[in-house]
Amino acid sequence: MKIYISADIEGVTGVTHWDETLKKEEEYKEFAYQMTLEVKAACEGANNAGADEIWVKDAHDTGRNIDHNMLPRNTKLIRGWSGHMYSMVQELDKTFDAVLFVGYHSAGGTNTNPLSHTMRTSIQYIKLNGDYLSEFLLHTYIANYIGVPVVFLSGDLGLCKEANRINEHIVTVPVKEGIGNLTVNIHPQVALDLIRKGVEESLKKDLSLYRIQLPKEFKVEIRYNDNSEVIKALDYANTELVDPKTVMFKSEDFMEILRAINFLV
């Protein structure tokens, strides 16, 4: 069994302020360590379920946060960014059996994580077919487009609820709850136990239960903070102006939507 893990930091237990997510800040090391431990727990759960090979995408900021020495020996770690439009799931293909998301967070425009955002903190939000688009949903659609099921998610409670609205079978582990600018967090060691057990449980189920049907057509709205970004976005073919801060792009082809987001965000 070949498993793909994509890991972020804003959904890791304890992480509450931007200073805890940035390499240059003193608080960062503590939470990068916890990010590594949560990924390690997910790898251990996958191995308990019979994984032969695990690929891990370090998908936070620089893409250089996880200590590979702390992960099992059957892991490959993807560090940094190439600019490919698969972004947080780059190198994912149909040879993988399942995808796991660790440390993910709520979408920009929502209030269930103090660090809610989608792809870039310099935009207000992205909406897909009228709903706020999370990084989890965007990359879940990529996985399902390729034909690989998403089976597990750990992160904040708001995002876990979203995942289970999409597919009730996805095993979720909410390690924190965001309330305004604060978070209520479970103990770090409890988070590791729950992630390890949750991943093992998710991979022992019938993987066909996790399949998600993509919409037949897509409408993306992107709301910017800076008017100059709107002007630039309108140079992208078939992009329409919704209001002075918002543009829209429509397509029946998800890859065209993904390509547009890659250039417009």
Side-chain angles (χ1 to χ4, degrees):
M1 186 161 54
K2 186 178 179 183
I3 304 302
Y4 189 103
I5 298 175
S6 179
D8 206 349
I9 203 170
E10 289 89 358
V12 165
T13 190
V15 177
T16 305
H17 190 276
W18 292 113
D19 287 353
E20 296 163 351
T21 72
L22 301 172
K23 277 180 176 286
K24 65 181 181 180
E25 302 294 343
E26 185 178 344
E27 297 97 324
Y28 162 82
K29 289 185 179 180
E30 173 187 349
F31 296 99
Y33 179 67
Q34 180 64 24
M35 177 186 180
T36 296
L37 290 178
E38 293 190 12
V39 171
K40 178 186 177 185
C43 292
E44 291 168 346
N47 283 337
N48 290 343
D52 301 300
E53 185 178 354
I54 303 171
W55 289 43
V56 177
K57 174 67 183 91
D58 187 330
H60 171 64
D61 196 34
T62 62
R64 296 181 283 112
N65 309 277
I66 295 169
D67 182 351
H68 201 177
N69 275 312
M70 295 180 64
L71 304 186
R73 294 173 69 91
N74 65 334
T75 59
K76 293 182 179 180
L77 180 62
I78 307 166
R79 304 182 78 232
W81 303 98
S82 74
H84 193 278
M85 67 179 180
Y86 282 8
S87 188
M88 298 171 79
V89 292
Q90 183 172 350
E91 303 306 310
L92 180 66
D93 59 32
K94 63 178 66 175
T95 66
F96 288 87
D97 295 288
V99 176
L100 321 173
F101 291 104
V102 175
Y104 268 59
H105 54 82
S106 293
T110 65
N111 62 356
T112 48
N113 187 320
L115 308 180
S116 294
H117 67 281
T118 301
M119 303 309 290
R120 271 208 297 147
T121 57
S122 58
I123 63 170
Q124 289 190 34
Y125 61 73
I126 305 174
K127 285 186 177 182
L128 180 64
N129 293 345
D131 295 322
Y132 291 116
L133 177 65
S134 65
E135 294 169 3
F136 164 77
L137 182 59
L138 177 63
H139 294 89
T140 292
Y141 275 6
I142 294 172
N144 279 268
Y145 185 91
I146 295 169
V148 186
V150 172
V151 305
F152 176 86
L153 165 70
S154 68
D156 62 64
L157 179 62
L159 185 64
C160 288
K161 288 181 176 178
E162 176 191 333
N164 288 137
R165 286 194 296 270
I166 296 164
N167 185 318
E168 63 182 3
H169 297 289
I170 295 173
V171 176
T172 59
V173 174
V175 300
K176 67 202 296 181
E177 179 179 3
I179 304 171
N181 283 328
L182 66 78
T183 59
V184 180
N185 303 272
I186 66 175
H187 190 279
Q189 294 300 317
V190 173
L192 302 184
D193 291 341
L194 292 175
I195 289 169
R196 189 180 300 108
K197 292 174 183 175
V199 168
E200 181 176 358
E201 174 193 342
S202 71
L203 292 171
K204 287 183 174 179
K205 288 184 179 181
D206 177 358
L207 298 184
S208 68
L209 295 172
Y210 299 105
R211 299 289 182 185
I212 293 172
Q213 189 70 38
L214 270 63
K216 295 191 180 300
E217 55 186 13
F218 303 89
K219 180 178 76 171
V220 167
E221 293 181 28
I222 302 171
R223 186 166 182 83
Y224 299 96
N225 291 317
D226 189 335
N227 285 38
S228 66
E229 296 226 56
V230 177
I231 295 170
K232 180 181 177 182
L234 291 172
D235 287 335
Y236 191 81
N238 300 317
T239 300
E240 303 173 30
L241 185 67
V242 176
D243 62 44
K245 291 287 183 73
T246 311
V247 300
M248 177 176 62
F249 182 84
K250 298 177 183 177
S251 179
E252 294 182 355
D253 182 352
F254 177 67
M255 282 297 113
E256 284 302 314
I257 292 295
L258 190 60
R259 189 171 291 110
I261 290 174
N262 189 51
F263 280 90
L264 296 173
V265 173

